[in-house]
């Protein structure tokens, strides 16, 4: 399966990457990592992701998403025919409801590709 992993510049994003890599090792999934930032430049996050995937011993492509990450993730998944989009995120409110940010909401509402949220 071809999997597009959307990683935001957060610690939670790196944790989601690690669990996705472990699954890919077990199943033979082909990973591509799309890195985007909520605030600020991507260079630090790209460097951290490269170091982490090297440590984990996995070979995967890395793409940078500079602007409008929600629509860019959807476009990339459709254009390159990915089977699944994996995103980190989604917090629970005090009442137990999932709260999504703008990127997650856009991808979930507009993608024709299966979307998996890792919390």
């Amino acid at each position: 399966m071809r999997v597009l992993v959307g990683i935001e510049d957060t610690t939670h994003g790196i944790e989601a990457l690690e669990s996705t890599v472990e699954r890919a090792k077990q199943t033979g999934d082909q990973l591509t990592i799309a890195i985007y930032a909520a605030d600020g430049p991507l260079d630090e996050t790209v460097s951290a992701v490269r170091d982490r995937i090297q440590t984990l011993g996995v070979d995967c492509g890395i793409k940078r998403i500079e602007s409008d990450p929600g629509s860019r993730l959807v476009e990339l998944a459709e254009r390159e025919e990915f089977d699944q989009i994996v995103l980190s995120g989604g917090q629970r409110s005090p009442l137990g409801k999932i709260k999504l940010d703008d990127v997650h909401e856009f991808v979930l509402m507009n993608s024709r590709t299966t979307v998996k949220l890792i919390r």
Side-chain angles (χ1 to χ4, degrees):
M1 179 169 17
R2 297 189 66 230
V3 179
L4 178 63
V5 185
I7 300 294
E8 190 176 3
D9 57 345
T10 62
T11 303
H12 195 280
I14 298 296
E15 291 170 1
L17 172 65
E18 291 174 355
S19 68
T20 304
V21 165
E22 290 306 314
R23 174 168 163 55
K25 285 181 177 180
Q26 295 170 0
T27 61
D29 291 345
Q30 180 184 9
L31 300 180
T32 298
I33 302 167
I35 302 169
Y36 63 95
D39 298 311
L42 290 175
D43 295 334
E44 190 174 308
T45 305
V46 170
S47 181
V49 168
R50 285 184 200 274
D51 291 345
R52 196 67 201 129
I53 62 174
Q54 187 174 14
T55 301
L56 293 170
V58 68
D59 183 31
C60 55
I62 295 179
K63 298 188 181 278
R64 296 170 65 115
I65 296 180
E66 300 289 341
S67 65
D68 198 17
S71 65
R72 298 288 181 251
L73 284 167
V74 171
E75 289 171 7
L76 180 61
E78 289 179 8
R79 183 177 64 244
E80 296 191 18
E81 299 180 353
F82 283 93
D83 300 304
Q84 185 177 67
I85 300 171
V86 175
L87 297 173
S88 68
Q91 305 297 322
R92 287 219 182 253
S93 73
L95 296 175
K97 297 188 182 217
I98 295 177
K99 298 187 313 186
L100 303 172
D101 67 18
D102 293 340
V103 174
H104 297 97
E105 187 174 328
F106 186 91
V107 173
L108 285 167
M109 300 300 272
N110 293 287
S111 180
R112 290 184 227 156
T113 305
T114 302
V115 179
K116 178 180 180 180
L117 283 180
I118 297 178
R119 293 183 285 127

